[in-house]
Amino acid sequence: MALDKAVWDVPTIGKRGFELARRVLGSKVEDFELDVLDISPERVGVFDLVLFLGVLYHVPHPLLALERVASVVGKQLILETHVDMNEHDRPVLAFYPEGECADDGSNWFGPNRAAVEAMLRVVGFRKVELMSSTPVPYKIRGAGKSQYGRMVFHAWK
Ligand SMILES: C[S@@+](CC[C@H](N)C(=O)[O-])C[C@H]1O[C@@H](n2cnc3c(N)ncnc32)[C@H](O)[C@@H]1O
């Protein structure tokens, strides 16, 4: 099952790429036109493995989004996200109310490693592991010496 409504709704992008890949690969993937906040076990089902890649920092309600995602994970989640403020050990999230992150108004929050791990535990994962951490070249206005980049986590129910 796949959902990517935010992009499929953009007239200049649409769903053509997804449909081409599905056809060429002979894939049976089902598509749902839902916002991540609207998924639930009743609406989409529960899956052994869920990929939540590059979306967490695009939602204005990250903990709620993770609650929804966790509700459809049977065993394991793979989460990839932008992260910020990794110079702090305590769980903190940078807030970008005015497109401070890469001049992109759809980037809302940069959680640090501790915040991602804590949020994953709060929404019901018993084991969380950081799998990779990569610095990135994009600019964040006002970030000073903050440590930011991308991280991949695996989490298990
Ligand atoms: C940086 S792209 C990542 C795309 C892809 N998952 C990847 O890893 O290459 C951000 C994606 O977040 C999706 N997105 C943003 N807000 C969303 C929301 N509220 N619900 C579901 N998807 C959302 C967009 O559709 C877009 O495809």
Side-chain angles (χ1 to χ4, degrees):
M1 187 279 271
L3 62 90
D4 198 3
K5 183 172 159 50
V7 159
W8 291 341
D9 279 352
V10 177
T12 51
I13 304 175
K15 215 169 168 182
R16 293 186 305 279
F18 173 82
E19 284 166 347
L20 173 67
R22 177 164 57 187
R23 195 171 62 249
V24 169
L25 296 170
S27 167
K28 293 187 184 135
V29 63
E30 270 186 89
D31 51 303
F32 279 79
E33 304 227 354
L34 290 174
D35 188 285
V36 66
L37 295 186
D38 295 326
I39 62 174
S40 65
E42 297 74 28
R43 285 184 111 160
V44 303
V46 174
F47 302 88
D48 288 347
L49 178 64
V50 173
L51 308 180
F52 192 46
L53 312 176
V55 184
L56 183 66
Y57 54 95
H58 285 298
V59 289
H61 307 289
L63 186 58
L64 185 58
L66 279 182
E67 267 181 23
R68 299 287 199 268
V69 169
S71 77
V72 301
V73 176
K75 291 183 182 160
Q76 184 181 354
L77 171 70
I78 298 179
L79 166 67
E80 192 275 343
T81 184
H82 161 71
V83 288
D84 194 351
M85 304 188 79
N86 280 307
E87 67 279 15
H88 296 280
D89 293 330
R90 296 178 64 205
V92 293
L93 294 84
F95 181 35
Y96 314 120
E98 296 178 346
E100 290 88 341
C101 181
D103 274 326
D104 181 344
S106 78
N107 291 334
W108 285 102
F109 285 100
N112 69 355
R113 172 186 176 173
V116 177
E117 291 174 343
M119 288 194 291
L120 287 170
R121 287 201 194 87
V122 163
V123 300
F125 291 95
R126 62 177 171 79
K127 184 175 154 201
V128 179
E129 274 183 26
L130 174 66
M131 306 307 286
S132 77
S133 175
T134 316
V136 290
Y138 52 70
K139 294 272 181 289
I140 301 181
R141 285 200 305 278
K145 291 189 165 52
S146 279
Q147 293 169 22
Y148 56 87
R150 312 284 298 201
M151 286 184 175
V152 177
F153 299 85
H154 289 195
W156 292 266
K157 282 283 184 80

